[in-house]
Amino acid sequence: MELIPAPRAIEGPTGSAVPFGPGTTLWAGPGTERTERWLRATLGTALGLPLRPGPRDAPDGVRLLLDDTLGPEAYRLGAGDRGVEIRGGGPAGVFWGAQTLRQLLGPDAFRRAPVRPGTALGVPYQVIEDAPRFRWRGLLLDVARHFMPKEGVLRYLDLMAAHKLNVLHLHLTDDQGWRIEIKRYPRLTEIASWRTRTKFGHRASPLWEEKPHGGYYTQDDIREIVAYAAERYISVVPEIDVPGHSQAAIAAYPELGNTDVVDTTALSVWDTWGISSNVLAPTDATLRFYEGVFEEVLELFPADAGAFSEFVHVGGDECRKEQWAESVTAKTRITDLGLADEDELQSWFIGHFDAWLAARGRRLIGWDEILEGGLAPGAAVSSWRGYGGGVAAARAGHDVVMCPEQYVYLDHRQAPGDDEPVPIGFVRTLEDVYRFEPVPDGLTEEEARHVLGTQANVWTEVLEDTARVDYQTFPRLAAFAEVAWSPLPAPADRDYAGFERRMAAHYRRLDALGVAYRPPAGPRPWQKRPGVLGRPIEGPPPNR
């Protein structure tokens, strides 16, 4: 069968099939209620089938049940004389089995209403045994640079579920925008959530989109996103950037910036790309402000909403130190704390929130720069600057999520040549992503256990709308999903030709879902951005 991601083992299929039609019933055992709801609401609606409750032993029915002999996310899907049975080691396993059932029923199962009512459908007699390789199978959506309205986020949660991904890293704040309502600090949404114009293309581009850009999620929007994700066994990990990438917040509350160096009252939300030198001041008032932010964030993203919902991402990357080097306030703080320099001051800043979150039963995760200067035992690292940060983190006993820029930053271009819209970074083809290996060479077995999993990151500086996000994300996210889920051989030994063959069927599913993916032959005319300057990097990415 043309399944993506590839399951661990398939026995069959045979020539017989379980009929799937108006008479198909659905029996759900204890603990499988979320999948029962999803099957009726999504699969039933797509195919125009009621999937009425029926007895467990209905001959052509679907049965959902838990089986504690399987791993928490493992499932066993069997189709035969007794109908279709999905067993999961936990509720999530049952749900992933239902995603496989949807693929078995054909591309029409991915639509929102029936297009061929009355068409005979069947699930071939077979047994599929499956379980994920990694626990953390993530996707970062950067909604700070270009805002993605709530409906777009919900849509991406559905796309993630269809590919058995289970962590949405939601990048909510940056220099160019603040995207989450914080009740006690209303100017974060009144001022920091929009900018007057936007650089179109790379920051060296002469082009501007001369209109305001903005948006934010209300607290109820966030609750809805988190609940919608939880129904699909997806954890939402929020990112609130400190101490760098903070110009939007400083524009709203100038006292957060280095007021003894620059006139922070003159700052606006940044309208171009790059790394702003306007970073948070290392003051007690700044710490109290962000503690107030995180108090509301913890309420909106409860720790029990998913397998990785205890995590809060604090950024910690690309903090420029020029203002701290000139600031009397920063120098005094360095002296008072007995620190060596501004680098250690950043470590102190991150360490404060590490301890603050830990005291509330949560876990800090940040980009690999947070390793510099030491890190508390419970903190985890997102390794983005290649493999080095992940190796250092694992060897120091920290959990790590592998998301190296050179391999799984999906804003990087997908092919050489002038047709790729706003070409950024290295060429990362579908095959390149398929041959990505998340566990670095050289780790011991014990160290490798600290690799929680892997994540693909979609940064949106040059992705101005959902169609552009789709183009950069797909089809490469399908290859990434297989890397994250399936027990693939070493990169050079992977059957890419077989994956391409299965993708031929998967493109039809993406078509049914309305995904504006990059076609194998290259961009369609309306997907190009002729003349918009990017930042292509020639040659292969460094293997580090």
Side-chain angles (χ1 to χ4, degrees), residues 343-493:
D343 290 336
E344 288 195 7
L345 185 61
Q346 179 179 352
S347 180
W348 164 82
F349 202 109
I350 296 297
H352 174 86
F353 287 103
D354 192 351
W356 189 90
L357 289 166
R360 289 155 181 79
R362 306 299 282 266
R363 290 184 68 185
L364 178 145
I365 185 169
W367 303 109
D368 53 57
E369 286 97 327
I370 69 172
L371 283 166
E372 299 160 5
L375 199 56
V381 170
S382 301
S383 183
W384 76 275
R385 296 179 298 177
Y387 285 111
V391 171
R395 286 179 175 164
H398 295 289
D399 288 339
V400 60
V401 176
M402 295 302 306
C403 46
E405 173 187 19
Q406 306 91 331
Y407 301 94
V408 288
Y409 270 34
L410 299 186
D411 51 316
H412 282 210
R413 57 197 173 127
Q414 302 186 62
D418 296 332
D419 283 345
E420 289 305 307
V422 198
I424 297 295
F426 296 101
V427 172
R428 294 285 84 191
T429 65
L430 184 64
E431 181 172 1
D432 290 330
V433 175
Y434 190 68
R435 297 193 190 281
F436 164 61
E437 173 48 49
V439 179
D441 291 335
L443 293 182
T444 67
E445 186 175 330
E446 177 64 27
E447 291 165 349
R449 278 198 282 270
H450 283 291
V451 179
L452 295 175
T454 184
Q455 180 172 290
N457 295 343
V458 182
W459 300 102
T460 62
E461 288 95 334
V462 300
L463 311 184
E464 73 276 8
D465 55 31
T466 301
R468 282 287 288 122
V469 174
D470 277 8
Y471 179 90
Q472 293 299 133
T473 303
F474 288 97
R476 291 182 297 181
L477 192 68
F480 174 81
E482 185 147 311
V483 169
W485 178 277
S486 306
L488 299 176
D493 299 328

Side-chain angles (χ1 to χ4, degrees), residues 112-430:
R112 295 193 181 189
V115 293
R116 295 173 183 82
T119 300
L121 297 170
V123 181
Y125 280 22
Q126 63 193 304
V127 175
I128 299 173
E129 303 269 2
D130 204 6
R133 179 186 177 192
F134 291 108
R135 290 188 293 140
W136 184 301
R137 307 179 301 279
L139 174 69
L140 176 144
L141 281 180
D142 169 22
V143 297
R145 271 56 173 271
H146 278 101
F147 180 61
M148 179 180 285
K150 180 195 69 178
E151 288 301 317
V153 177
L154 300 179
R155 172 177 175 263
Y156 260 83
L157 287 167
D158 282 330
L159 292 172
M160 290 174 66
H163 292 84
K164 300 185 174 73
L165 299 174
N166 70 339
V167 179
L168 173 63
H169 176 167
L170 203 54
H171 181 72
L172 290 164
T173 74
D174 216 294
D175 298 309
Q176 296 85 5
W178 184 284
R179 306 296 178 211
I180 179 171
E181 179 187 27
I182 302 296
K183 298 282 192 182
R184 73 189 73 181
Y185 304 129
R187 294 208 299 271
L188 289 174
T189 44
E190 291 169 3
I191 295 171
S193 71
W194 67 277
R195 57 184 181 262
T196 57
R197 63 176 187 170
T198 299
K199 176 67 73 173
F200 194 69
H202 181 252
R203 60 181 176 270
S205 167
L207 304 176
W208 293 90
E209 180 75 8
E210 295 284 357
K211 66 180 181 182
H213 176 86
Y216 65 90
Y217 308 111
T218 67
Q219 294 204 346
D220 281 345
D221 289 340
I222 293 291
R223 292 186 181 100
E224 181 182 358
I225 288 167
V226 170
Y228 195 86
E231 280 284 302
R232 287 148 184 79
Y233 297 94
I234 297 171
S235 304
V236 184
V237 175
E239 180 176 346
I240 307 293
D241 269 297
V242 296
H245 288 291
S246 298
Q247 183 168 325
I250 297 168
Y253 291 91
E255 65 272 21
L256 296 174
N258 295 285
T259 57
D260 58 347
V261 178
V262 296
D263 178 10
T264 56
T265 63
L267 293 177
S268 59
V269 178
W270 218 21
D271 57 12
T272 189
W273 316 124
I275 307 170
S276 172
S277 59
N278 292 293
V279 303
L280 298 176
T283 64
D284 289 342
T286 299
L287 297 180
R288 299 294 88 77
F289 182 97
Y290 273 86
E291 285 172 3
V293 169
F294 282 119
E295 283 174 5
E296 295 193 26
V297 166
L298 296 192
E299 187 272 326
L300 294 169
F301 296 87
D304 60 356
F308 293 103
S309 296
E310 64 183 320
F311 284 97
V312 176
H313 207 291
V314 301
D317 62 313
E318 298 179 327
C319 179
R320 292 175 61 172
K321 312 295 196 303
E322 298 98 315
Q323 290 182 4
W324 285 356
E326 296 179 27
S327 166
V328 173
T329 300
K331 290 176 181 177
T332 302
R333 178 68 87 176
I334 289 170
T335 301
D336 290 348
L337 293 170
L339 304 176
D341 53 23
E342 290 80 15
D343 290 336
E344 288 195 7
L345 185 61
Q346 179 179 352
S347 180
W348 164 82
F349 202 109
I350 296 297
H352 174 86
F353 287 103
D354 192 351
W356 189 90
L357 289 166
R360 289 155 181 79
R362 306 299 282 266
R363 290 184 68 185
L364 178 145
I365 185 169
W367 303 109
D368 53 57
E369 286 97 327
I370 69 172
L371 283 166
E372 299 160 5
L375 199 56
V381 170
S382 301
S383 183
W384 76 275
R385 296 179 298 177
Y387 285 111
V391 171
R395 286 179 175 164
H398 295 289
D399 288 339
V400 60
V401 176
M402 295 302 306
C403 46
E405 173 187 19
Q406 306 91 331
Y407 301 94
V408 288
Y409 270 34
L410 299 186
D411 51 316
H412 282 210
R413 57 197 173 127
Q414 302 186 62
D418 296 332
D419 283 345
E420 289 305 307
V422 198
I424 297 295
F426 296 101
V427 172
R428 294 285 84 191
T429 65
L430 184 64

